[in-house]
Amino acid sequence: MGNNKTVQVVGAGLSGMVAAINLAHAGYEVTVLEAEARVGGSGLLHPSLHITPIDKAKVWQYVGVDLDDCFQTPEKFLTYLGTRRHSIFPQYFSMVERGPRPTSVDTRLYELATRAGVEFRFSIRVENLDELPPNTIIATGLDPGMFETLGLPFRDIPSRHVFQPSVLDRYGLGIFSEYASEYFYAGAMNQIFYGMLPLEDPPKLECLSQLVKDLKQWEGIDIPESLWRPVVFRVPLGGPRNLRLFHGDKILAGTIAGMMDPFFLFGIHGALVSGKIAALAVEDRDGAQMEFNRVNRYFHRTFRAKQAYLRLPVKTKMSFFHAMTSRPYLFSPMIQIISQGIPGHDDPDYFYRSFVGPDYQPPLPIRLAKAVMKNFAAALLGVRLEKRDQGANRRQDS
């Protein structure tokens, strides 16, 4: 450990509190500075519900924090591709609540952090990073100001979202449609319903009108347009430069470090993993950078895939998803590329299996073709290695 056993963390979100808990367990005196008057983030954004791929046991072991009681597997998870309805195999996903309520993961982390001896100071907004000591962890999430302070690229997504009391439980819904700039998602658990619709810039409110009609017609969910609140989500997907563990002598964690899946915008997994890496960076900057690079090793190619996808016409996007769900075995290489952008998530087949199930096998000709290609690739690699070894031997002989 270093000689200075005190650390400050800016932001009481997921990554900040995971980092604080790990540092407190390692013997540090940790103070968390939070801009809001309590944990749970901005009242403009939360309470909210999130659906994320996650191997819970593996993640809890990695981050050193067990949050199993906050993450629940959906009992029902549906997607609509246009008007076509598909059931998702829910075991590859978990639902989690964010915000200040007792049932949120934020509240759970706060309880664990205070139990570990972490001090929290609320209603403190940090604007001048030069006033903070070295190794301060910056974990300010979606806060727009910090992106500008750090000079980081970003992308603003104007949206409409809603949270309402609900009798639905462990229910997930996704809609890929012409009226969503990314995709609409919704979930229900802990007696609330949450939905979020990303829109184009400037927003076209007729898209919200169509969503409201579809929710009522398809799922019997009746939420008037007047209850959907405007919000702008600032995400770290302005360019590859968003991936950054350090800013001078400061440590970045969570969203502000770029730890977000660039294709589907999953952020929960990356936030948790990032908190652990930020804690490691306090005592071992080089080791933390190596681990940061490892968990984000697929970011750039997934980011490029997303940029290409965004340039496609809407009808082409819909045709792609229709074809992918009807014949997923033909698209498995592409599916792997778009599935590997979640920081630290090591299962490239989760998205594929969520559509076809855990026991699915592609048609025999496809399996035979894959086996031939695999053997051919292995043989080609063997030839290349043999030539390399022969070249090395000749150089040694000479």
Side-chain angles (χ1 to χ4, degrees):
M1 303 295 176
N3 293 326
N4 187 352
K5 299 288 289 186
T6 64
V7 178
Q8 289 189 354
V9 178
V10 180
L14 303 192
S15 59
M17 287 195 283
V18 166
I21 291 168
N22 276 271
L23 289 167
H25 288 163
Y28 286 84
E29 294 182 8
V30 186
T31 302
V32 176
L33 309 178
E34 168 56 41
E36 301 295 329
R38 71 318 178 247
V39 296
S42 169
L44 298 175
L45 305 179
H46 304 299
S48 61
L49 298 178
H50 300 258
I51 303 174
T52 182
I54 188 170
D55 183 335
K56 292 188 285 187
K58 188 173 183 179
V59 172
W60 308 157
Q61 182 178 18
Y62 181 88
V63 304
V65 182
D66 188 337
L67 299 170
D68 209 55
D69 52 344
C70 298
F71 285 72
Q72 301 180 26
T73 302
E75 292 183 349
K76 184 179 182 181
F77 192 2
L78 303 172
T79 62
Y80 285 86
L81 303 178
T83 58
R84 299 183 189 178
R85 181 180 182 181
H86 297 263
S87 292
I88 296 294
F89 287 84
Q91 62 264 41
Y92 299 96
F93 296 87
S94 285
M95 304 180 66
V96 63
E97 178 184 344
R98 294 291 316 276
R101 301 195 326 152
T103 46
S104 74
V105 66
D106 303 76
T107 299
R108 178 64 174 152
L109 281 168
Y110 176 66
E111 293 169 350
L112 294 172
T114 53
R115 194 179 304 165
V118 176
E119 178 187 356
F120 286 80
R121 297 173 60 191
F122 294 106
S123 301
I124 296 179
R125 179 169 292 278
V126 174
E127 297 180 350
N128 186 357
L129 298 184
D130 293 335
E131 297 177 352
L132 300 173
N135 280 343
T136 293
I137 296 173
I138 310 299
T140 49
L142 297 171
D143 177 60
M146 193 57 71
F147 281 90
E148 297 168 4
T149 298
L150 297 176
L152 295 175
F154 57 84
R155 201 176 131 216
D156 282 342
I157 303 178
S159 308
R160 292 295 186 273
H161 70 158
V162 66
F163 35 88
Q164 287 285 104
S166 176
V167 295
L168 293 171
D169 189 40
R170 295 167 65 183
Y171 164 89
L173 176 66
I175 301 177
F176 293 81
S177 176
E178 296 184 7
Y179 50 67
S181 64
E182 295 283 345
Y183 59 91
F184 168 79
Y185 89 90
M189 65 182 288
N190 299 336
Q191 299 181 336
I192 65 168
F193 173 92
Y194 177 81
M196 196 273 283
L197 174 67
L199 299 168
E200 301 291 345
D201 191 5
K204 298 178 181 178
L205 295 184
E206 60 268 24
C207 296
L208 175 61
S209 301
Q210 186 60 51
L211 170 67
V212 168
K213 293 177 183 177
D214 288 346
L215 284 177
K216 185 175 181 179
Q217 179 180 348
W218 297 345
E219 293 295 305
I221 297 172
D222 188 6
I223 302 178
E225 288 185 50
S226 59
L227 296 181
W228 294 76
R229 304 193 306 175
V231 64
V232 176
F233 293 98
R234 178 160 292 182
V235 297
L237 299 175
R241 287 197 310 114
N242 278 114
L243 268 185
R244 187 182 305 183
L245 179 57
F246 298 107
H247 180 81
D249 60 4
K250 308 301 187 295
I251 300 165
L252 307 184
T255 303
I256 204 70
M259 293 281 281
M260 176 180 281
D261 163 38
F263 203 93
F264 293 107
L265 309 185
F266 293 123
I268 299 293
H269 200 285
L272 296 170
V273 169
S274 181
K276 174 67 175 185
I277 297 174
L280 173 62
V282 172
E283 57 181 355
D284 182 2
R285 291 173 75 91
D286 291 340
Q289 185 65 66
M290 290 179 60
E291 181 64 2
F292 185 84
N293 294 342
R294 184 189 72 81
V295 302
N296 290 294
R297 62 193 180 277
Y298 299 117
F299 175 89
H300 293 289
R301 74 177 188 179
T302 307
F303 180 85
R304 290 192 294 269
K306 179 59 176 284
Q307 297 307 110
Y309 170 80
L310 289 174
R311 288 192 288 269
L312 296 175
V314 174
K315 291 184 178 180
T316 303
K317 294 177 186 177
M318 298 303 300
S319 298
F320 168 73
F321 276 109
H322 283 310
M324 188 175 67
T325 53
S326 60
R327 294 178 177 84
Y329 47 85
L330 297 178
F331 293 85
S332 57
M334 174 59 70
I335 294 173
Q336 283 203 350
I337 289 175
I338 67 177
S339 302
Q340 290 179 320
I342 303 173
H345 191 272
D346 295 327
D347 180 9
D349 292 327
Y350 83 89
F351 188 64
Y352 176 81
R353 291 293 173 188
S354 70
F355 275 96
V356 302
D359 302 320
Y360 173 82
Q361 292 291 338
L364 181 59
I366 299 296
R367 298 204 305 272
L368 292 175
K370 285 188 174 181
V372 170
M373 292 177 63
K374 184 177 180 180
N375 290 334
F376 177 76
L380 183 62
L381 178 61
V383 170
R384 288 181 177 177
L385 292 176
E386 183 178 354
K387 288 183 177 180
R388 186 191 66 182
D389 293 341
Q390 290 174 353
N393 291 335
R394 283 195 295 269
R395 286 192 295 271
Q396 289 177 356
D397 293 341
S398 61

